Amino acid sequence: MKLVVIVLGALLLFYAASPYYSVWRFGEALRAHDTDAFAARVDFDAVRGSLKQQIRDHFLGVLAKKKKNRLAEFLTSSEQSPLDQLIDA
């Protein structure tokens, strides 16, 4: 019975400490300028896609409030929108 409690306690401790360990490793990769380790911890394509969507939603929301539909149509009509090109650059 004691062994089960010890194992469960160790698992709980590991579970609670794992986010802090991940943040520490992330910081170590930044301080060491280790781009490979940094890229392994960050999904840049997902970050870029999320940023594009957030910027697009913000600008289109502002344009919808101002009733300037021509610019909104331009930003949404093209296959590769100017906002996407700006973020990719």
Side-chain angles (χ1 to χ4, degrees):
M1 186 66 176
K2 285 185 179 183
L3 181 61
V4 172
V5 171
I6 291 172
V7 169
L8 287 177
L11 287 174
L12 183 62
L13 182 64
F14 177 74
Y15 179 74
S18 65
Y20 299 104
Y21 178 71
S22 295
V23 169
W24 176 76
R25 294 283 309 248
F26 185 79
E28 287 296 313
L30 281 175
R31 281 189 283 283
H33 302 288
D34 188 357
T35 57
D36 293 333
F38 185 70
R41 288 172 177 74
V42 177
D43 184 5
F44 286 108
D45 291 332
V47 171
R48 198 173 295 117
S50 175
L51 182 62
K52 286 178 188 179
Q53 187 63 42
Q54 289 175 28
I55 290 174
R56 186 179 303 116
D57 291 346
H58 175 74
F59 279 115
L60 294 179
V62 168
L63 291 175
K65 290 178 185 175
K66 292 183 177 183
K67 307 287 186 197
K68 293 184 180 180
N69 291 332
R70 288 186 204 158
L71 185 56
E73 288 174 8
F74 172 71
L75 291 174
T76 58
S77 65
S78 62
E79 188 173 307
Q80 178 82 15
S81 77
L83 290 175
D84 292 346
Q85 292 175 353
L86 179 68
I87 293 169
D88 288 339

